[in-house]
Amino acid sequence: MKTNRLRLPVILILCLIAQFSFGQTGARATEKFNSGWRFNPGDSPKAKDASFNDASWRQLDLPHDWSIEGKFSKNNPAGIGGGALPGGIGWYRKNFTVAASDQQKNIFIDFDGVYCNSEVWINGHYLGKRPNGYISFRYDLTPFIAFGKQNVISVKVDNSQQPNSRWYSGSGIYRNVWLVKTRKVYVDNWGTYITTPKVSAQSATVNINITVRKKSVAKVPVVVSTIIYDPQGKVVAKSDNTSAGSDSSVTAQSFEIASPELWNTDHPKLYKAVSQLKSGNQVLDSYSTTFGIRSFEFDADRGFFLNGKPFKILGVCDHHDLGCLGAAVNTRALERQLEILKEMGCNGIRTSHNPPAPELLDLCDKMGFIVMDEAFDMWKQQKNKFDYHLAWDKWHVRDLEDQLKRDRNHPSVFIWSIGNEIPEQYSKNDTSGRNIARELASIVRKFDNRPITSACNEPNPDNNIIVSGALDLIGYNYHHQDYASFHERFPGKKFIATESTSALETRGFYDMPSDSIRRWPIKWDEEFKGGNQEQMVSAYDNVSAPWGSTHEETWKVMKKHPFLSGMYIWTGFDYIGEPTPYSWPSRSSYFGIIDLAGFPKDVYYMYQSEWTNKPVLHIFPHWNWPAGKVVDVWAYYNNADEVELFLNGKSLGVKKKTGDDLHIQWRVNFEPGTLKAISRKDGKIVLEREIHTAGKASSINLTADRKTISADGEDLSFVTVNIVDERGNLVPDADNLVTFKIKGDAKIAGVDNGLQTSMEPFKANDRKAFNGKCLAVIQSGKTPGKVTLVASSVGLPDAELVIDLK
Ligand code: GAL
């Protein structure tokens, strides 16, 4: 009794202090709402009820993708196009409390993306449904929250009707979830819009529109003030305070910034605008928006300009999966992909064919990529039986608007794509696509003025989408043969290659001769009739889709004409699903410049030699062949006049690129030993490279991309496993099964080896090497300290690697 009596006033005082400090400082609270969920596969209709007992359900933290945990089967309804992994229905529940002291606040739940057809309940009250699995959305929980008591959120996810996608989608709450608390007066969701209409080296105009919500307290007078911080965190401008009017009113402010630090892909300088809503001295809300200052222009004759300078967009298309992690978003995994691409000289990303995770755009802002942000892979007409066409009529306006509001402040976003290879583009009789294109463009224009394109695989003047006049940029998918004559078909129009190439390679697999370009299906069928058991494609750049080209073919044209503003190659990374042209047991794509595990294929170095200034000399293939085999040796190089190749010390001749060559080649009679290449400029050695015939596997070599990671339960260390001989040479055909053990607070988040036909699960503690390599992804726990990864394989000594969690 005594203690209780004492406790009450103490709690009251604490609440008052909390209330006061909440008003003074963090006026809004945004917390990750990812931990402590329960999950149950299959349908559990009663799980929407508050009283439902979920004690037996699996406990997990989001983001979560249940498909990636499943087994490959050709009978899974997604088909190989969808990665041959299971879909189905799943339910999630989370119990939580909101303090009684929050009673005067609004409580929102923000989902960054749920695949798909999510339905959400709070304490048994239905909040709504969102069919689109790639869109971010918010529900207002305020009216249904029991403050100071237990609440439960229930989410049904229905990915049972498949195929609904042409690639691997993943299933579940696969992006982050947030709980947002605001006062009754607050900045709306995605409530700021920043533009920089005038930019020069001397000054920039920064305009910001702030949407203020006042809900039930519309009459409270508030003052809106914004402070602009430069990339070093220094205050460079402040707004005059402006009163906002009624609920949902927009306050416009404008600033002049002297000598702005411009955003570009080498120096992606970011500014921050902090907008505060105040009543007297009390801060009611504080809302931060990151933005960049840059100018750009697409010109019909001269191509793309960034901050007044000519700039070629050297981009890639990517799907959203993160290889063995599946669709479950992880910021470090995204960052690693972008780092690998940046190293190659890539400067652009197309979010094919849907709105991306918000973290991807944050990273593109920070790391410097020119993003084409895409909305749809189809409109009203289907590509697959259960795809988004089913939701089109009811949802497309809302989905597109939400994407625009969410993404338009990102300085990395330069182009809006309203669709990829939309079926409505073709028909002569049904011209409905023209009106839809105009409607979508008018939605974009309501929210932003960046250029609009659509990825057209029939880029002719009678294409309905082009006829509509809705496009600022004529988007070419493929047709590199027609690039040069673009202006004959489209006089005065601006060009972008929304998608190119679709060449195929399997890392570390070489088929000779290397100089005969093969396009399937014609040759392919002959060659692989009855099934090529290996289902691998030569890693020489000589195989492509019939609608596409080799990497070299498209790049040669793109490079030649300044009016071609740039391209997005299909694809940067291999992705799960779409193993075209193979059928089962292939279950992931061959199109990547980098394989699914994140290991570059050889052609990566062709781009690096062309797109960067760092010296490159890359020779391939490996040097383990049967005696007497005639082997094609290719080299990609730059910053040099010539390359000389030696086999066991004997010169095989000097070669140099002539004309528009992008590689050089020797045809060599194999003998075991050392192949050595030397590149020279003005007679001086630039680089030397050696490849040795490898002996038998003798040890496991582990290298981590980062040996110190955060002890935050999310960070990752990507560990490359190489099977090497006793002199440390990669054994190019090694397929040893490697088993992993972890000591310390971490787990194995996934394993892979990049082989498109592997039936081994991605969530496992072991993996076979493929062509000498595999990958283990280590995810930190929350206890700082050392983590040891032990890798074992029969007949080889154990290898160990230590990672620090900090
Ligand atoms: C394109 C399509 C992509 C992918 C690619 C494979 O036509 O836009 O999504 O399917 O083909 O080559």
Side-chain angles (χ1 to χ4, degrees):
M1 239 356 226
K2 203 174 156 202
T3 43
N4 272 353
R5 237 182 254 154
L6 264 177
R7 214 182 266 157
L8 200 62
V10 172
I11 290 172
L12 275 176
I13 290 165
L14 285 177
C15 286
L16 281 172
I17 292 170
Q19 181 84 1
F20 179 75
S21 54
F22 184 77
Q24 291 303 305
T25 54
R28 84 170 33 220
T30 302
E31 66 190 56
K32 263 197 182 156
F33 206 55
N34 286 343
S35 63
W37 287 76
R38 288 201 183 254
F39 169 71
N40 196 46
D43 201 3
S44 323
K46 291 218 158 52
K48 67 179 192 310
D49 299 335
S51 59
F52 182 81
N53 183 351
D54 59 19
S56 64
W57 287 16
R58 172 177 157 197
Q59 270 185 300
L60 51 74
D61 294 341
L62 304 176
H64 174 241
D65 169 10
W66 78 70
S67 296
I68 203 71
E69 299 168 349
K71 285 204 175 93
F72 296 106
S73 162
K74 63 173 165 201
N75 299 324
N76 280 328
I80 54 166
L85 285 166
I89 294 178
W91 280 79
Y92 296 83
R93 294 179 103 244
K94 178 177 161 90
N95 288 299
F96 66 105
T97 52
V98 180
S101 55
D102 284 338
Q103 201 124 26
Q104 293 311 311
K105 289 172 198 155
N106 297 313
I107 314 291
F108 301 103
I109 188 165
D110 289 354
F111 291 89
D112 286 348
V114 183
Y115 205 94
C116 56
N117 294 307
S118 65
E119 290 178 274
V120 184
W121 292 260
I122 168 100
N123 300 332
H125 299 277
Y126 188 60
L127 293 170
K129 175 167 182 165
R130 202 69 189 226
N132 188 333
Y134 298 109
I135 203 75
S136 300
F137 54 93
R138 158 176 284 194
Y139 292 115
D140 184 357
L141 306 181
T142 321
F144 314 108
I145 290 276
F147 289 90
K149 300 205 180 102
Q150 181 151 300
N151 296 276
V152 60
I153 292 270
S154 315
V155 181
K156 178 186 178 185
V157 182
D158 186 349
N159 192 15
S160 59
Q161 297 210 296
Q162 299 202 33
N164 57 40
S165 168
R166 296 185 301 109
W167 55 87
Y168 174 75
S169 63
S171 310
I173 310 180
Y174 72 104
R175 292 185 184 160
N176 290 308
V177 182
W178 307 87
L179 197 75
V180 181
K181 297 178 190 169
T182 70
R183 289 183 176 272
K184 293 297 174 198
V185 178
Y186 64 103
V187 176
D188 200 5
N189 191 25
W190 309 311
T192 56
Y193 177 40
I194 298 188
T195 51
T196 53
K198 273 194 230 134
V199 177
S200 71
Q202 291 73 40
S203 82
T205 307
V206 175
N207 291 337
I208 177 164
N209 285 351
I210 303 144
T211 304
V212 178
R213 302 299 310 256
K214 290 180 158 182
K215 284 191 124 181
S216 49
V217 284
K219 293 198 176 65
V220 177
V222 289
V223 163
V224 182
S225 71
T226 299
I227 301 178
I228 309 275
Y229 297 88
D230 75 5
Q232 288 71 43
K234 211 177 89 209
V235 174
V236 285
K238 285 186 184 174
S239 68
D240 290 339
N241 297 349
T242 317
S243 289
S246 55
D247 183 33
S248 214
S249 67
V250 177
T251 299
Q253 300 177 333
S254 189
F255 308 84
E256 290 302 317
I257 311 273
S259 311
E261 296 182 56
L262 301 187
W263 185 98
N264 63 42
T265 55
D266 292 332
H267 305 286
K269 299 282 184 183
L270 295 176
Y271 283 75
K272 193 164 80 179
V274 177
S275 304
Q276 293 196 324
L277 309 184
K278 289 188 192 158
S279 172
N281 280 334
Q282 199 187 25
V283 177
L284 302 174
D285 198 1
S286 179
Y287 189 97
S288 172
T289 312
T290 301
F291 68 99
I293 301 176
R294 81 279 186 276
S295 66
F296 71 96
E297 181 196 353
F298 285 88
D299 183 89
D301 300 317
R302 297 174 308 146
F304 178 68
F305 285 72
L306 181 60
N307 300 323
K309 296 195 193 105
F311 184 102
K312 194 77 117 183
I313 299 171
L314 310 171
V316 297
C317 307
D318 268 328
H319 279 310
H320 68 303
D321 78 62
L322 294 167
C324 60
L325 306 179
V329 78
N330 179 288
T331 304
R332 171 58 201 159
L334 287 168
E335 183 183 51
R336 172 194 180 236
Q337 288 196 332
L338 295 176
E339 282 171 2
I340 296 170
L341 290 167
K342 195 93 193 169
E343 269 294 300
M344 180 177 97
C346 168
N347 63 25
I349 299 287
R350 172 190 187 205
T351 71
S352 33
H353 304 297
N354 45 260
E359 291 78 10
L360 178 79
L361 296 180
D362 292 341
L363 287 164
C364 288
D365 291 347
K366 255 198 273 185
M367 298 172 72
F369 287 89
I370 308 283
V371 174
M372 180 192 318
D373 196 350
E374 191 152 72
F376 305 112
D377 192 43
M378 80 295 298
W379 296 344
K380 231 172 140 75
Q381 284 177 31
Q382 70 180 61
K383 287 186 177 172
N384 272 321
K385 187 163 174 203
F386 298 111
D387 66 26
Y388 184 75
H389 81 281
L390 297 172
W392 180 261
D393 283 342
K394 183 148 178 232
W395 285 102
H396 71 276
V397 176
R398 175 75 190 276
D399 284 342
L400 182 57
E401 286 187 357
D402 284 355
Q403 178 180 4
L404 293 158
K405 281 196 267 183
R406 192 196 69 168
D407 294 350
R408 61 188 171 162
N409 290 324
H410 287 280
S412 59
V413 174
F414 285 75
I415 306 169
W416 300 112
S417 165
I418 54 174
N420 172 60
E421 300 191 348
I422 296 300
E424 280 89 342
Q425 70 187 293
Y426 315 112
S427 175
K428 304 248 173 330
N429 308 323
D430 171 10
T431 55
S432 59
R434 300 180 188 180
N435 284 337
I436 300 178
R438 287 182 197 118
E439 183 210 4
L440 298 179
S442 74
I443 295 169
V444 176
R445 282 293 162 260
K446 252 172 52 193
F447 293 92
D448 193 51
N449 63 6
R450 289 176 179 86
I452 298 170
T453 194
S454 182
C456 301
N457 48 328
E458 292 216 345
N460 302 313
D462 61 353
N463 175 310
N464 286 319
I465 299 176
I466 298 177
V467 171
S468 76
L471 307 185
D472 302 303
L473 310 175
I474 306 291
Y476 265 57
N477 273 17
Y478 307 100
H479 297 271
H480 68 289
Q481 318 83 328
D482 303 333
Y483 289 179
S485 57
F486 171 74
H487 281 134
E488 287 167 25
R489 266 173 316 275
F490 298 104
K493 296 281 183 208
K494 301 168 188 174
F495 172 96
I496 180 79
T498 34
E499 186 174 317
S500 74
T501 313
S502 274
L504 301 111
E505 295 187 7
T506 300
R507 174 187 54 79
F509 176 79
Y510 304 92
D511 214 0
M512 276 156 268
S514 64
D515 41 14
S516 64
I517 291 180
R518 291 172 292 158
R519 311 204 198 274
W520 48 276
I522 316 109
K523 277 253 181 126
W524 198 271
D525 279 353
E526 278 167 35
E527 220 168 313
F528 301 118
K529 200 169 286 158
N532 167 8
Q533 250 197 328
E534 305 292 350
Q535 306 212 162
M536 291 180 203
V537 185
S538 173
Y540 294 109
D541 179 26
N542 63 357
V543 184
S544 90
W547 54 87
S549 74
T550 64
H551 290 278
E552 293 193 0
E553 287 172 313
T554 292
W555 173 234
K556 280 180 188 175
V557 193
M558 182 56 57
K559 173 177 179 183
K560 200 146 108 199
H561 305 283
F563 78 89
L564 300 172
S565 51
M567 64 172 176
Y568 291 90
I569 298 162
W570 193 265
T571 48
F573 282 75
D574 280 347
Y575 48 95
I576 308 173
E578 206 177 40
T580 312
Y582 287 119
S583 51
W584 180 260
S586 294
R587 47 61 174 169
S588 57
S589 83
Y590 295 76
F591 294 116
I593 297 167
I594 299 146
D595 78 9
L596 197 64
F599 303 134
K601 303 177 186 176
D602 293 289
V603 76
Y604 177 93
Y605 301 95
M606 186 279 278
Y607 288 115
Q608 196 176 50
S609 71
E610 287 284 298
W611 291 0
T612 73
N613 289 325
K614 60 186 144 217
V616 173
L617 174 59
H618 178 75
I619 51 169
F620 58 102
H622 57 75
W623 210 240
N624 280 52
W625 298 97
K629 167 111 180 154
V630 177
V631 180
D632 289 345
V633 176
W634 283 29
Y636 298 125
Y637 72 95
N638 64 3
N639 299 3
D641 309 318
E642 58 179 37
V643 179
E644 186 165 7
L645 189 69
F646 301 86
L647 178 55
N648 296 329
K650 210 173 90 220
S651 175
L652 300 177
V654 172
K655 303 254 173 184
K656 49 179 81 176
K657 294 187 265 192
T658 56
D660 61 0
D661 287 349
L662 296 171
H663 74 270
I664 45 177
Q665 180 188 324
W666 293 261
R667 193 148 279 174
V668 181
N669 289 321
F670 175 75
E671 64 183 54
T674 300
L675 195 66
K676 177 174 180 174
I678 300 180
S679 62
R680 296 190 196 94
K681 188 166 178 70
D682 301 326
K684 289 206 194 85
I685 293 178
V686 179
L687 286 173
E688 296 186 0
R689 293 282 179 263
E690 286 186 9
I691 305 179
H692 307 275
T693 304
K696 67 178 194 357
S698 94
S699 58
I700 304 170
N701 185 327
L702 303 177
T703 32
D705 68 336
R706 290 183 316 148
K707 289 183 96 167
T708 303
I709 61 174
S710 306
D712 60 3
E714 293 180 15
D715 206 358
L716 304 173
S717 179
F718 287 82
V719 179
T720 298
V721 181
N722 284 346
I723 306 295
V724 297
D725 72 1
E726 56 183 16
R727 287 177 303 155
N729 299 308
L730 184 80
V731 179
D733 60 348
D735 63 354
N736 304 51
L737 178 67
V738 183
T739 305
F740 303 103
K741 271 201 211 89
I742 297 250
K743 293 183 219 154
D745 189 18
K747 65 175 185 188
I748 295 173
V751 290
D752 193 9
N753 59 16
L755 172 61
Q756 291 92 344
T757 51
S758 172
M759 292 290 113
E760 295 170 284
F762 287 126
K763 297 278 181 191
N765 290 336
D766 56 24
R767 190 69 169 192
K768 285 174 83 171
F770 167 60
N771 289 341
K773 284 169 126 40
C774 64
L775 174 82
V777 185
I778 312 303
Q779 183 158 31
S780 63
K782 292 191 171 165
T783 327
K786 297 222 178 294
V787 163
T788 307
L789 171 71
V790 184
S792 336
S793 185
V794 175
L796 304 180
D798 285 0
E800 286 195 3
L801 178 92
V802 177
I803 294 166
D804 275 324
L805 303 198
K806 287 230 164 103

